[in-house]
Amino acid sequence: MGRSRRTIPEELLLLALDPATGTTAQPQSLDLGLAGAQLVELALAGRIAPDGDRIAVVVPRPTGDPTLDCALELLRRRGAPVRAVHWIGGPRLGLRQTYLSHLERCGMVAAVPGQMCGVLPTTRYQATDTAISREIRGRLDSAIRTGVPPDPRTAALAALAHAVGLGKHLYPGNEGRSSRSRLRDLIRHDPMGGLVAHAVMDVQNGAAAQPRRGPAVTARQGTAGVRTAPEPARGVPMQPHRGSMARAVAH
């Protein structure tokens, strides 16, 4: 996998960054979305494939992306296909920070130190190249505006953006209602993205313990039964500094 292409987890995180505040929208559901975005990226790289509502490793060869390869190795060690909801709902401590640090190393975001309540050190992240964020957003806008089926990467990104509740962040207010609806509808254009997006919503709805109902999703099937993602409240306060060697990540 060439590193000239941004991965879907990276693009999802850039979409969630608020340029005014340096915080991420929907931080709790975003963590689930990043885990799901890794699955989509691995599927696009030909390393995994859907098996009903489960994920199967088909080619265990590393991709060259350390974070994705860590996820691939964990999936391989399971030894059998794993349900998408169980994978996405598992512990993913530090995943958002891992991607923020990666984007910082790549020069796409800059860490801005600050303080909470004038005492506790915190870190916010500002996009350094707004053209990248505009290009990502432009792909979603084009798919919503034209109604033309998007490419698989854009369709999967749209599905995940809807699943984690970024619709109101990207298309706020009553004037954005139709765009949010069309964003939701894009979920049907990528089978793997649809499977993962539904799994993200199932985890948020507490349905991870129950098997999914309805037709199984395979690489040759579309998704059925589009649901509306829960949209947690924005403005979650930042967490305090937890130690001399750690920086608090803006939520």
Side-chain angles (χ1 to χ4, degrees), residues 198-214:
H198 282 309
V200 168
M201 290 185 279
D202 280 345
V203 173
Q204 294 180 80
N205 291 328
Q210 300 298 326
R212 269 186 55 78
R213 296 180 179 178

Side-chain angles (χ1 to χ4, degrees), residues 160-221:
L160 286 161
H162 166 70
V164 303
L166 287 182
K168 285 190 175 180
H169 168 71
L170 299 171
Y171 307 104
N174 288 333
E175 64 276 14
R177 183 176 300 175
S178 62
S179 292
R180 293 196 298 272
S181 177
R182 294 189 187 103
L183 179 71
R184 178 198 64 208
D185 291 343
L186 290 176
I187 200 171
R188 71 183 71 244
H189 290 295
D190 179 64
M192 185 65 179
L195 168 64
V196 170
H198 282 309
V200 168
M201 290 185 279
D202 280 345
V203 173
Q204 294 180 80
N205 291 328
Q210 300 298 326
R212 269 186 55 78
R213 296 180 179 178
V217 178
T218 69
R220 293 180 298 276
Q221 292 176 303

Side-chain angles (χ1 to χ4, degrees), residues 117-188:
C117 302
V119 178
L120 300 174
T122 60
T123 303
R124 297 175 184 270
Y125 291 86
Q126 299 284 355
T128 56
D129 189 346
T130 56
I132 294 176
S133 297
R134 287 197 303 270
E135 184 272 329
I136 298 170
R137 173 68 180 271
R139 282 162 39 212
L140 293 185
D141 290 345
S142 177
I144 287 172
R145 182 179 65 256
T146 65
V148 176
D151 63 273
R153 301 185 69 84
T154 301
L157 181 62
L160 286 161
H162 166 70
V164 303
L166 287 182
K168 285 190 175 180
H169 168 71
L170 299 171
Y171 307 104
N174 288 333
E175 64 276 14
R177 183 176 300 175
S178 62
S179 292
R180 293 196 298 272
S181 177
R182 294 189 187 103
L183 179 71
R184 178 198 64 208
D185 291 343
L186 290 176
I187 200 171
R188 71 183 71 244

